[in-house]
Amino acid sequence: MKEKPIPHKGKVRGASGYTLILFNDDYNTFEHVIESLVEICGHDPVQAEQCAMIAHHRGSCEIKTGMRKILLSMRTGLLDRNLSCEIK
């Protein structure tokens, strides 16, 4: 007897088509970046620290995917804190 595949009910990554990307810089502290990601993007502290480390070592990190309108608001908040980011 063949098993039927279970349909995926969760969001598929990138299904909304937009990604907020954080770029590394030489002037913001890890603490500032982590605090900003927690307060603006809703990351938990561990997730925010991991994103900061990835951006530091790789030059950038995808920090959030979702609807453009929501990501624009987050981008504005991060830019107000002098963090480099963009939406793709």
mmCIF file of all heavy atoms in Angstrom, residues 34 45-55 61:
data_model
loop_
_atom_site.group_PDB
_atom_site.id
_atom_site.type_symbol
_atom_site.label_atom_id
_atom_site.label_comp_id
_atom_site.label_asym_id
_atom_site.label_seq_id
_atom_site.Cartn_x
_atom_site.Cartn_y
_atom_site.Cartn_z
ATOM 1 N N ILE A 34 22.627 43.339 18.103
ATOM 2 C CA ILE A 34 21.768 42.335 18.741
ATOM 3 C C ILE A 34 20.528 42.994 19.344
ATOM 4 O O ILE A 34 19.396 42.546 19.116
ATOM 5 C CB ILE A 34 22.558 41.549 19.808
ATOM 6 C CG1 ILE A 34 23.609 40.676 19.122
ATOM 7 C CG2 ILE A 34 21.624 40.710 20.679
ATOM 8 C CD1 ILE A 34 24.669 40.114 20.053
ATOM 9 N N PRO A 45 17.198 36.766 21.650
ATOM 10 C CA PRO A 45 18.607 37.160 21.759
ATOM 11 C C PRO A 45 19.593 36.202 21.097
ATOM 12 O O PRO A 45 20.577 36.635 20.499
ATOM 13 C CB PRO A 45 18.840 37.232 23.273
ATOM 14 C CG PRO A 45 17.499 37.560 23.825
ATOM 15 C CD PRO A 45 16.514 36.822 22.956
ATOM 16 N N VAL A 46 19.329 34.904 21.160
ATOM 17 C CA VAL A 46 20.238 33.932 20.541
ATOM 18 C C VAL A 46 20.211 34.066 19.025
ATOM 19 O O VAL A 46 21.252 34.077 18.366
ATOM 20 C CB VAL A 46 19.883 32.489 20.974
ATOM 21 C CG1 VAL A 46 20.698 31.470 20.207
ATOM 22 C CG2 VAL A 46 20.080 32.316 22.470
ATOM 23 N N GLN A 47 19.016 34.174 18.459
ATOM 24 C CA GLN A 47 18.875 34.347 17.011
ATOM 25 C C GLN A 47 19.550 35.638 16.557
ATOM 26 O O GLN A 47 20.249 35.663 15.532
ATOM 27 C CB GLN A 47 17.390 34.360 16.643
ATOM 28 C CG GLN A 47 17.119 34.520 15.160
ATOM 29 C CD GLN A 47 15.641 34.636 14.854
ATOM 30 O OE1 GLN A 47 14.829 34.921 15.734
ATOM 31 N NE2 GLN A 47 15.285 34.413 13.604
ATOM 32 N N ALA A 48 19.365 36.711 17.313
ATOM 33 C CA ALA A 48 19.971 37.991 16.966
ATOM 34 C C ALA A 48 21.493 37.899 17.002
ATOM 35 O O ALA A 48 22.173 38.431 16.110
ATOM 36 C CB ALA A 48 19.480 39.074 17.928
ATOM 37 N N GLU A 49 22.024 37.216 18.008
ATOM 38 C CA GLU A 49 23.477 37.046 18.105
ATOM 39 C C GLU A 49 24.012 36.236 16.928
ATOM 40 O O GLU A 49 25.053 36.573 16.347
ATOM 41 C CB GLU A 49 23.839 36.354 19.420
ATOM 42 C CG GLU A 49 25.329 36.184 19.612
ATOM 43 C CD GLU A 49 25.691 35.524 20.925
ATOM 44 O OE1 GLU A 49 24.790 35.234 21.734
ATOM 45 O OE2 GLU A 49 26.889 35.296 21.135
ATOM 46 N N GLN A 50 23.302 35.186 16.555
ATOM 47 C CA GLN A 50 23.727 34.371 15.412
ATOM 48 C C GLN A 50 23.725 35.188 14.122
ATOM 49 O O GLN A 50 24.665 35.100 13.326
ATOM 50 C CB GLN A 50 22.823 33.144 15.267
ATOM 51 C CG GLN A 50 23.024 32.144 16.373
ATOM 52 C CD GLN A 50 22.005 31.026 16.339
ATOM 53 O OE1 GLN A 50 20.937 31.145 15.722
ATOM 54 N NE2 GLN A 50 22.313 29.937 17.011
ATOM 55 N N CYS A 51 22.703 35.993 13.908
ATOM 56 C CA CYS A 51 22.638 36.846 12.716
ATOM 57 C C CYS A 51 23.784 37.852 12.704
ATOM 58 O O CYS A 51 24.399 38.092 11.649
ATOM 59 C CB CYS A 51 21.294 37.572 12.641
ATOM 60 S SG CYS A 51 19.911 36.501 12.216
ATOM 61 N N ALA A 52 24.082 38.434 13.858
ATOM 62 C CA ALA A 52 25.187 39.392 13.943
ATOM 63 C C ALA A 52 26.519 38.716 13.608
ATOM 64 O O ALA A 52 27.348 39.285 12.893
ATOM 65 C CB ALA A 52 25.239 40.009 15.342
ATOM 66 N N MET A 53 26.712 37.508 14.103
ATOM 67 C CA MET A 53 27.952 36.774 13.833
ATOM 68 C C MET A 53 28.066 36.397 12.351
ATOM 69 O O MET A 53 29.132 36.520 11.755
ATOM 70 C CB MET A 53 28.033 35.517 14.705
ATOM 71 C CG MET A 53 28.219 35.815 16.180
ATOM 72 S SD MET A 53 29.730 36.726 16.541
ATOM 73 C CE MET A 53 30.957 35.474 16.224
ATOM 74 N N ILE A 54 26.969 35.957 11.768
ATOM 75 C CA ILE A 54 26.977 35.601 10.344
ATOM 76 C C ILE A 54 27.299 36.821 9.499
ATOM 77 O O ILE A 54 28.134 36.758 8.586
ATOM 78 C CB ILE A 54 25.632 34.971 9.929
ATOM 79 C CG1 ILE A 54 25.478 33.583 10.563
ATOM 80 C CG2 ILE A 54 25.513 34.875 8.398
ATOM 81 C CD1 ILE A 54 24.090 32.994 10.436
ATOM 82 N N ALA A 55 26.650 37.947 9.789
ATOM 83 C CA ALA A 55 26.921 39.180 9.040
ATOM 84 C C ALA A 55 28.378 39.596 9.202
ATOM 85 O O ALA A 55 29.021 40.031 8.240
ATOM 86 C CB ALA A 55 25.993 40.302 9.490
ATOM 87 N N CYS A 61 23.751 38.920 6.134
ATOM 88 C CA CYS A 61 22.918 37.838 6.669
ATOM 89 C C CYS A 61 21.460 38.143 6.367
ATOM 90 O O CYS A 61 21.003 39.272 6.556
ATOM 91 C CB CYS A 61 23.125 37.712 8.177
ATOM 92 S SG CYS A 61 22.106 36.425 8.942
#
